[in-house]
Amino acid sequence: MIPKRVGIKDVASAAGVSVTTVSHILNATPNTRASEETRRRVKDAARALGYGPNRLAQGLRTQRSGMIGLLSEEIATTPHAVRIILGAQEAARAHGLSLMIINSTHDANDESRRDDIAALLERQVDGILWATIMYHREVSLPSNLVGVPAVLIDARDRAGLAPGVEPDEESGARAAVTALIQAGHRRIGFVNYHGDIPATHGRLRGYRSVLAEHGIPFDESLVVAADYEALDGYAVTLPLLDRPDRPTALFCFNDRMAMGAYRAAAELHITIPEELSIVGFDNQELIAANLFPALTTVALPHYEMGVWAVDTLVRIMNGHEEDRLLSDHPTFMECPLVIRQSIAAPAL
Amino acid sequence: MIPKRVGIKDVASAAGVSVTTVSHILNATPNTRASEETRRRVKDAARALGYGPNRLAQGLRTQRSGMIGLLSEEIATTPHAVRIILGAQEAARAHGLSLMIINSTHDANDESRRDDIAALLERQVDGILWATIMYHREVSLPSNLVGVPAVLIDARDRAGLAPGVEPDEESGARAAVTALIQAGHRRIGFVNYHGDIPATHGRLRGYRSVLAEHGIPFDESLVVAADYEALDGYAVTLPLLDRPDRPTALFCFNDRMAMGAYRAAAELHITIPEELSIVGFDNQELIAANLFPALTTVALPHYEMGVWAVDTLVRIMNGHEEDRLLSDHPTFMECPLVIRQSIAAPAL
DNA sequence: CTGTTAGCGCATTCAG
DNA sequence: CTGAATGCGCTAACAG
């Protein structure tokens, strides 16, 4: 690096004071250590020399690196989860921390995971965020993460050693179905995913509970399930819409399946939203905003989870032990409804 | 951090040798400094104690932090550009380096940009990657980046001080149009973006050059342009397809516009690919893979650009000055065609 | 109000 | 083949 580093020492001699004084002044130590006069001299000298502290040395000395590690599993790969990184990064910056990212593949085994954590630890990170996209949301903390300030994203620790955040699938589904009912619908189909993951069950629970609260009997024939791509949504929606007693609205497991439902409706000459209202899930802008009509859907609070995780991690790092209590139970984050144009009152 | 750090000193006393010896052995200093016997003792002790070097201290001493910074402008936000991060991260890991990420907004001004770079520099990063998504691809290196090993992604430095990579838009367009011509098409429409960005011009150049090479006259009426969302693509494609002499194939500026073209075709009862072939650009899986039929498109080499950038940065950091020469001219990366189901021979 | 000093954990001369 | 000593840049007692 050609521009040779200017250190505290250079500032000191330039200002004609000792390094101690410089250190105190630049770190804004509470007690008015130096006179206004010297403060100015030092600050001016620092600015003139283009001084910036060497955070490595600082960290070595203070035992705080000011860095936090984000171990993300496959997350940098799935587009709509990038917002976790974004939220974490912005929250970290707000706390004066830097984010160090390691992305591992979904099939990472325990050992490679431990290696990744070790790498972060060698860098002396002050805490670690572990974001997963897994089938089972319950995980076990890797052994070398035990005792280290850590927060899980999209997962919960089996042993309750670290707090975690997850999207509140159920309330998200509730928001979606409620919107449909408020528009006047009573025959609402649910195009679910057939896999055994928390989202599947949570969203179904939300769907059922809202129906029940509105006195609408649960009709099993209105619930179908398939894989979660557009084609699967299409295949399973087609027969559902090709019935004399077809639903007037559809709640789809995700935006991709909703995309398939759009196609099924088009083929059957059913217009959206006049003859069929649709709500999706995930708020994948690329799809939701570009479908016609634009899809009303439920957003996953990835950004917010990233922020929450960092804020919580910072409190734990600062020794607020009460936050450890959060480890007992998962924290759920709201999934807000994003209203676009795919809902209308049912046709008479 | 509860698990108290074990240092080189602990290993030394556990193995009954000096810290010097431990340092040499663990760093695999070339010359066989120690006897096989002591090597084993030291290594065993290190493993037993779960020793890991303190990279902060190491960096302070060696003047190399082993970290590189990635300053990304709005990049963590645009889904299909996340692959830059992924590529950079994996390449960095392969070099034993860690990636520190800072995401700034698109409207970042020069000052905030300098601040971000300063933050990275304070962390003593060994080099910086600057990824932008800009209208003008020519940028000026922020002053505090001059002299620091740096590589640009998706941009080129006006002053030629740092090398940069960009996607080869023209060759991507050529691949797309060539595929169409090889399928037998001669009336090929181009649904372009109306903005004045490199992609607009590069793709048009590619389109025109391939036509010319195949002796197909350029027909201006087959080229339309609009904003780049699905709705815009739809609006502009509809009249194009509603002509008696409509094109038998369409090359779209991006997958979103192609999505709009699909809708236009559907409304006109033109089936894809039998009566109309379509190629997109960007390879946004969410759209391309979920359209029906799945969209053949051109992929942006984001991952590869991330890898190239890190590899190049590493060489520069190691003082391979010949790599600085790369700064003179931008490096272009191929945009490969991703074949799906939207191309067929034209109907007779 | 300000300066001296002793490490933080490690790599590296330079002597054995 | 191995060890003692020095300092990377900075903070924090502890003196003045």
Side-chain angles (χ1 to χ4, degrees):
Chain A
M1 227 168 295
I2 319 271
K4 70 160 70 68
R5 315 290 317 164
V6 6
I8 205 180
K9 202 179 301 180
D10 304 304
V11 177
S13 65
V17 297
S18 77
V19 294
T20 312
T21 305
V22 175
S23 175
H24 276 110
I25 291 177
L26 295 185
N27 291 349
T29 311
N31 52 358
T32 28
R33 197 185 141 94
S35 66
E36 260 318 313
E37 158 63 11
T38 29
R39 298 186 89 75
R40 285 200 42 72
R41 273 224 316 288
V42 168
K43 284 186 175 172
D44 286 350
R47 191 171 12 249
L49 296 178
Y51 170 79
N54 180 330
R55 306 283 249 113
L56 252 53
Q58 228 174 238
L60 184 61
R61 183 59 238 243
T62 62
Q63 305 292 8
R64 290 215 123 194
S65 65
M67 303 187 294
I68 60 187
L70 169 55
L71 184 60
S72 64
E73 233 137 80
E74 205 69 32
I75 211 182
T77 325
T78 61
H80 71 289
V82 173
R83 311 210 80 236
I84 291 180
I85 296 182
L86 194 58
Q89 205 271 318
E90 295 193 351
R93 184 214 291 263
H95 287 287
L97 301 170
S98 294
L99 236 208
M100 184 158 277
I101 296 189
I102 292 196
N103 181 75
S104 66
T105 57
H106 170 68
D107 55 2
N109 54 26
D110 249 39
E111 191 182 317
S112 80
R113 193 144 40 223
R114 284 174 46 91
D115 286 350
D116 287 337
I117 291 172
L120 252 14
L121 258 18
E122 287 183 2
R123 296 275 181 204
Q124 310 301 117
V125 295
D126 295 330
I128 290 182
L129 258 29
W130 183 23
T132 73
I133 305 252
M134 316 195 68
Y135 293 120
H136 317 82
R137 207 156 252 166
E138 266 201 17
V139 300
S140 290
L141 230 49
S143 61
N144 57 348
L145 200 48
V146 176
V148 174
V151 174
L152 309 192
I153 299 176
D154 235 326
R156 73 185 67 156
D157 175 38
R158 213 183 311 278
L161 294 174
V165 233
E166 308 167 25
D168 189 343
E169 310 280 0
E170 185 168 344
S171 86
R174 290 180 55 86
V177 179
T178 299
L180 256 12
I181 289 179
Q182 280 175 348
H185 295 275
R186 293 188 60 87
R187 283 190 65 70
I188 301 173
F190 180 27
V191 182
N192 203 358
Y193 167 54
H194 64 196
D196 179 26
I197 60 172
T200 307
H201 309 301
R203 294 176 195 179
L204 178 58
R205 262 201 314 280
Y207 167 78
R208 294 192 64 151
S209 67
V210 175
L211 290 188
E213 283 166 24
H214 287 80
I216 300 175
F218 175 69
D219 179 348
E220 203 172 350
S221 79
L222 291 182
V223 177
V224 294
D227 208 346
Y228 55 54
E229 297 297 332
L231 205 55
D232 310 298
Y234 164 77
V236 89
T237 306
L238 201 54
L240 186 61
L241 294 182
D242 201 14
R243 289 169 24 177
D245 62 339
R246 65 175 158 82
T248 62
L250 248 33
F251 168 42
C252 298
F253 178 79
N254 68 15
D255 295 348
R256 280 177 279 180
M257 295 187 91
M259 189 174 175
Y262 268 60
R263 181 174 155 224
E267 284 190 7
L268 295 171
H269 302 293
I270 296 172
T271 63
I272 302 172
E274 293 78 9
E275 300 173 282
L276 179 70
S277 290
I278 296 191
V279 187
F281 213 113
D282 283 3
N283 190 31
Q284 301 207 292
E285 308 263 356
L286 220 44
I287 291 181
N290 285 306
L291 281 173
F292 186 84
L295 179 68
T296 289
T297 185
V298 178
L300 254 5
H302 288 310
Y303 181 90
E304 292 75 11
M305 296 198 301
V307 172
W308 185 93
V310 168
D311 288 347
T312 304
L313 184 61
V314 168
R315 283 202 302 276
I316 291 179
M317 292 180 337
N318 289 338
H320 289 224
E321 281 302 323
E322 65 271 22
D323 284 289
R324 288 274 184 183
L325 296 179
L326 284 171
S327 311
D328 292 343
H329 54 89
T331 293
F332 291 105
M333 207 123 285
E334 286 285 293
C335 296
L337 187 69
V338 177
I339 297 173
R340 293 204 178 82
Q341 279 91 49
S342 61
I343 297 186
L348 297 186
Chain B
M1 225 170 294
I2 320 270
K4 71 160 69 69
R5 316 291 316 165
V6 5
I8 204 181
K9 201 179 303 181
D10 305 302
V11 177
S13 65
V17 296
S18 77
V19 294
T20 311
T21 304
V22 174
S23 176
H24 276 111
I25 291 177
L26 295 184
N27 290 348
T29 310
N31 54 355
T32 26
R33 199 186 137 93
S35 66
E36 259 320 312
E37 158 64 11
T38 29
R39 298 186 89 74
R40 286 201 42 71
R41 271 223 316 287
V42 169
K43 285 187 174 169
D44 286 350
R47 189 170 15 249
L49 295 179
Y51 168 79
N54 180 330
R55 307 282 249 111
L56 251 54
Q58 227 174 244
L60 185 60
R61 183 59 237 247
T62 61
Q63 304 292 12
R64 289 215 122 196
S65 65
M67 303 188 294
I68 61 188
L70 169 56
L71 184 60
S72 64
E73 233 138 80
E74 206 68 31
I75 211 182
T77 325
T78 60
H80 72 288
V82 173
R83 312 210 80 237
I84 291 179
I85 297 182
L86 194 58
Q89 205 271 318
E90 296 193 350
R93 184 214 290 264
H95 287 287
L97 301 170
S98 294
L99 235 211
M100 184 158 278
I101 295 187
I102 292 196
N103 182 74
S104 67
T105 56
H106 170 66
D107 56 2
N109 54 25
D110 248 38
E111 192 183 317
S112 81
R113 193 145 40 222
R114 284 174 46 91
D115 286 350
D116 287 336
I117 291 172
L120 252 15
L121 258 17
E122 287 183 2
R123 296 275 181 204
Q124 309 302 116
V125 295
D126 296 330
I128 289 183
L129 258 28
W130 183 22
T132 73
I133 306 251
M134 316 196 68
Y135 294 120
H136 318 81
R137 207 157 252 166
E138 266 200 18
V139 300
S140 290
L141 231 47
S143 60
N144 57 349
L145 200 48
V146 176
V148 174
V151 173
L152 309 191
I153 298 176
D154 235 326
R156 75 185 66 157
D157 175 38
R158 212 183 312 276
L161 294 174
V165 232
E166 307 168 24
D168 188 342
E169 310 279 2
E170 185 168 345
S171 86
R174 290 180 54 86
V177 179
T178 299
L180 255 13
I181 289 180
Q182 280 176 349
H185 295 274
R186 294 189 57 89
R187 283 190 65 70
I188 302 172
F190 180 26
V191 182
N192 203 358
Y193 167 55
H194 64 197
D196 178 25
I197 61 172
T200 307
H201 309 302
R203 295 176 195 178
L204 177 59
R205 263 201 314 280
Y207 167 78
R208 294 193 62 151
S209 68
V210 175
L211 289 187
E213 284 166 24
H214 287 79
I216 301 175
F218 174 68
D219 179 348
E220 204 173 348
S221 79
L222 290 182
V223 177
V224 294
D227 209 345
Y228 56 52
E229 297 296 331
L231 204 55
D232 309 298
Y234 163 78
V236 89
T237 306
L238 201 55
L240 187 61
L241 294 181
D242 202 14
R243 289 168 26 175
D245 62 340
R246 65 173 158 86
T248 63
L250 247 33
F251 169 41
C252 298
F253 178 79
N254 68 15
D255 296 348
R256 281 177 279 181
M257 295 187 92
M259 188 173 175
Y262 267 59
R263 181 175 155 226
E267 283 189 8
L268 295 172
H269 302 293
I270 296 172
T271 64
I272 302 171
E274 292 78 7
E275 301 173 282
L276 179 69
S277 290
I278 297 190
V279 187
F281 213 115
D282 283 4
N283 190 31
Q284 302 207 290
E285 309 264 356
L286 220 46
I287 290 180
N290 285 306
L291 281 174
F292 185 83
L295 180 67
T296 289
T297 185
V298 178
L300 254 6
H302 288 309
Y303 180 89
E304 292 75 10
M305 295 198 302
V307 172
W308 184 93
V310 169
D311 287 346
T312 303
L313 183 62
V314 167
R315 282 202 303 276
I316 291 179
M317 292 181 336
N318 290 338
H320 290 223
E321 281 302 323
E322 66 272 22
D323 285 287
R324 288 275 184 181
L325 295 180
L326 284 170
S327 310
D328 291 343
H329 54 88
T331 293
F332 291 106
M333 207 125 284
E334 286 286 292
C335 297
L337 187 70
V338 178
I339 297 173
R340 293 204 178 83
Q341 278 91 49
S342 61
I343 297 185
L348 297 187

